[in-house]
Amino acid sequence: MTLKIGIIGCGGIANGKHLPALHQLDVDLVAFCDLIPERAEKAAKEYGTADAKVFTDYRELLKEDLDVVHVLTPNAAHAPLTIAALEAGCHVMCEKPMAKTAAEAQAMLDAARRTGKKLTIGYQNRCRKDSLYLHEICQEGQLGDIYFAKAHAVRRRAVPTWGVFLDHEAQGGGPLIDIGTHALDLTLWMMDNYEPAMVVGQTYRELGDNPNSANAWGPWDPKKFTVEDSAFGFVKMKNGATIFLESSWALNTLDVKEAKTTLCGSKGGADMNNGLTINGEDHATLYQKDIDLSTGGVAFFDGAGDDPALTEARQWIAAVENDTDPLVRPEQALVVTQILEAIYKSAKTGQPVVF
């Protein structure tokens, strides 16, 4: 049976990632919803079945006969839309981050468990070939006990000026919740450690009042820039491991890297700074290995290729069809949101947040 999929939110992430990927799979995109009807109509015309329906109210879309719903909206709408879709009997792919707050993310997880439906979050950077390779060697224990890591999400000047990225009410934050979330998810996944003990964090809005800052996407409006321009956090896990998280949209630095991780373990280390590099000691000699991932797919992960969006969509649809766990489990994504929220809380109160 071909899965019938509904799309809620037909903006940038839908057209840039989800719709092109799903269109390559054996699924039927039968319903599209957006507050701006022209967006939904355009998406339906380009990617939908011949009889695809268009809505401006998600509640009307959820009355359709659907198997899967993709929630691709601003962060504030993730929880209510996801919960409604789960309760309507649909499996749900929700874009990252899981939710605006940890309480909302928990409510989403509770709804998935209550309904017995699958829920996953759009952390497609796990589906890159370097990420899949690194995760495999971490799982095999080649790095040993990973006790220190860095999660990198640093841009020099790349503030998103479209949509609601600068709107705290709609998004819940700036670069930390937008791109820092990817770096933190990657790092926790590699460490296979989802038990934080304590978080200290600080946020800054030092460049937001400078509209003409050579931004990659043009000048921003300082009056609409209601989120941080950079944020940093230090996380201590219950087993003693520590993580440093750095995130920025605009920072006076040349050390830029996004959705990358650095890992230090008892047997070896790894980083994604210039491709994927593994380092360690062997027979009293230090070594580093630069991993060449240009020679094809990743054999140990079915369907992995050069397009993380397609890999993400393929494994998600396979999980629904085969009744298996998706690559990103909601329990994992919840911890990411809990840590992000703790960094924001610590920055606001000036105190550490203890779990």
Side-chain angles (χ1 to χ4, degrees):
M1 184 185 71
T2 303
L3 293 176
K4 289 176 283 189
I5 299 180
I7 305 295
I8 303 178
C10 300
I13 197 64
N15 288 280
K17 182 176 81 164
H18 293 268
L19 293 176
L22 289 169
H23 195 57
Q24 298 181 60
L25 304 180
D26 183 23
V27 297
D28 288 337
L29 297 168
V30 300
F32 297 80
C33 179
D34 198 282
L35 294 175
I36 301 173
E38 293 79 11
R39 283 184 182 172
E41 291 164 1
K42 180 176 181 292
K45 183 178 180 181
E46 290 185 19
Y47 299 105
T49 57
D51 58 350
K53 296 182 179 180
V54 170
F55 304 90
T56 55
D57 187 336
Y58 75 91
R59 290 164 293 197
E60 295 302 312
L61 176 141
L62 292 178
K63 293 177 181 178
E64 297 294 305
D65 180 20
L66 301 171
D67 302 301
V68 175
V69 166
H70 281 220
V71 175
L72 314 176
T73 65
N75 299 343
H78 284 185
L81 299 188
T82 294
I83 293 169
L86 290 167
E87 292 180 340
C90 301
H91 304 289
V92 178
M93 154 70 81
C94 178
E95 247 309 313
K96 63 78 193 167
M98 189 169 182
K100 184 178 171 182
T101 69
E104 290 175 345
Q106 182 66 59
M108 292 164 67
L109 176 58
D110 292 343
R113 289 172 171 170
R114 183 173 65 250
T115 60
K117 295 299 177 179
K118 296 186 187 300
L119 171 61
T120 194
I121 309 301
Y123 286 116
Q124 78 278 358
N125 284 290
R126 291 194 191 188
C127 297
R128 300 188 331 235
K129 288 198 291 185
D130 59 342
S131 301
L132 291 167
Y133 182 96
L134 181 55
H135 184 254
E136 185 74 1
I137 69 169
C138 289
Q139 290 293 100
E140 292 173 352
Q142 290 189 33
L143 302 187
D145 175 29
I146 302 171
Y147 56 89
F148 176 61
K150 296 179 183 179
H152 310 285
V154 176
R155 299 174 181 172
R156 186 182 182 187
R157 290 293 191 282
V159 178
T161 54
W162 63 92
V164 295
F165 281 101
L166 304 182
D167 184 342
H168 186 274
E169 186 62 31
Q171 290 292 87
L176 178 62
I177 202 169
D178 176 40
I179 58 176
T181 191
H182 275 301
L184 180 59
D185 174 71
L186 269 183
T187 302
L188 295 174
W189 188 50
M190 298 303 173
M191 299 174 77
D192 192 22
N193 190 340
Y194 291 92
E195 296 187 341
M198 185 268 290
V199 171
V200 176
Q202 185 62 49
T203 62
Y204 298 93
R205 187 185 174 281
E206 297 292 329
L207 305 181
D209 287 328
N210 306 325
N212 298 309
S213 293
N215 189 47
W217 292 298
W220 58 77
D221 183 349
K223 294 180 181 178
K224 296 180 179 179
F225 202 135
T226 60
V227 296
E228 80 277 3
D229 50 41
S230 60
F232 308 91
F234 182 80
V235 186
K236 181 178 179 181
M237 309 302 283
K238 288 183 179 178
N239 72 344
T242 52
I243 300 169
F244 172 65
L245 169 60
E246 54 179 0
S247 63
S248 79
W249 283 337
L251 191 68
N252 289 320
T253 181
L254 300 179
D255 186 19
V256 296
K257 43 197 157 188
E258 187 171 335
K260 296 184 178 181
T261 188
T262 298
L263 307 173
C264 302
S266 56
K267 294 182 180 179
D271 69 69
M272 296 171 158
N273 296 336
N274 296 293
L276 179 57
T277 302
I278 313 299
N279 71 81
E281 172 268 324
D282 183 37
H283 292 86
T285 302
L286 296 178
Y287 70 84
Q288 70 176 58
K289 295 190 296 185
D290 297 325
I291 308 301
D292 182 4
L293 294 167
S294 64
T295 55
V298 181
F300 51 76
F301 189 83
D302 183 43
D306 292 328
D307 183 359
L310 181 56
T311 301
E312 177 188 57
R314 184 180 285 125
Q315 63 79 26
W316 162 237
I317 296 303
V320 173
E321 292 176 335
N322 301 323
D323 193 21
T324 56
D325 284 338
L327 184 63
V328 180
R329 303 198 309 273
E331 295 88 350
Q332 298 169 331
L334 168 61
V335 176
V336 175
T337 293
Q338 289 172 334
I339 292 174
L340 297 177
E341 182 175 270
I343 292 173
Y344 282 127
K345 183 177 180 180
S346 176
K348 185 175 182 179
T349 63
Q351 300 294 323
V353 174
V354 178
F355 285 80

